[in-house]
Structure formats: C-alpha cells, structure tokens
C-alpha cells in the first residue's frame, strides 16, 4: 500500500496506463487475427493495411518491441501474398 500522496498518485497513473496498454495490445492482436481470418484477397489486403498501421504505432509506443512488430508484419505480408496467388 502506498503511504505518501505521490505514491498514491503513481499507483493511479500506473493503473490507468496498464488498462490503456492492455486495450491497445488487444486491438493489435485482433487486427492481426483479422488478417489471418480474411476469406478473400481484397479483404486480406485491407485488413493487412490496418494491422500494419497498428503494429507500427504500437512499436512506436513501446507496447510491443520493434523487432516483434517487424517480424509480424513480414509474416502477415507473406500470408497475404499467399492468398492473392490462389
């Protein structure tokens, strides 16, 4: 339990930030899943653009490591190319 006024404030700030980070991380994961679940090539392309934007933003805010975002984008792009060839 925090004792000082500043410690209580830091606890409040940390809690609100953790909540915000959880929501944003969840949104990124949902966007990635949407790309993988896309049924048509056009749908996959549109979902990939959204996911790519969200991954870049999350990496910029240190929600996910930059290399993780790059790796996921690369793998998603490869998956989208695979759907367009079929």
């Amino acid at each position: 339990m925090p004792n000082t006024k500043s410690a209580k404030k830091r606890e409040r700030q940390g809690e609100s930030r953790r909540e915000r980070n959880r929501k944003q991380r969840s949104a990124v994961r949902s966007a990635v899943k949407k790309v993988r679940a896309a049924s048509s090539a056009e749908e996959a392309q549109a979902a990939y653009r959204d996911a790519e934007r969200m991954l870049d933003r999350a990496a910029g805010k240190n929600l996910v490591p930059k290399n993780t975002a790059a790796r996921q984008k690369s793998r998603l792009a490869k998956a989208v190319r695979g759907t367009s060839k079929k």
Side-chain angles (χ1 to χ4, degrees):
M1 281 305 296
N3 293 321
T4 62
K5 187 176 178 181
S6 61
K8 290 175 186 173
K9 181 178 179 180
R10 292 292 294 167
E11 187 179 47
R12 286 195 311 270
Q13 287 176 330
E15 209 158 299
S16 61
R17 287 177 181 150
R18 188 178 76 240
E19 221 20 68
R20 187 182 319 125
N21 288 342
R22 278 184 60 211
K23 288 177 184 177
Q24 290 176 346
R25 216 175 293 120
S26 173
V28 169
R29 287 191 190 119
S30 297
V32 169
K33 286 178 189 172
K34 198 178 287 187
V35 175
R36 297 207 181 277
S39 55
S40 67
E42 296 81 26
E43 191 179 321
Q45 280 286 344
Y48 174 71
R49 278 193 297 274
D50 291 338
E52 183 182 28
R53 202 171 297 128
M54 292 179 89
L55 280 166
D56 283 336
R57 195 171 295 143
K61 293 179 178 181
N62 292 322
L63 282 173
V64 293
K66 285 179 175 42
N67 283 348
T68 301
R71 184 177 65 247
Q72 286 185 339
K73 286 179 357 186
S74 174
R75 288 177 181 172
L76 285 175
K78 187 177 178 182
V80 169
R81 280 195 306 271
T83 61
S84 63
K85 288 181 182 178
K86 290 179 182 176

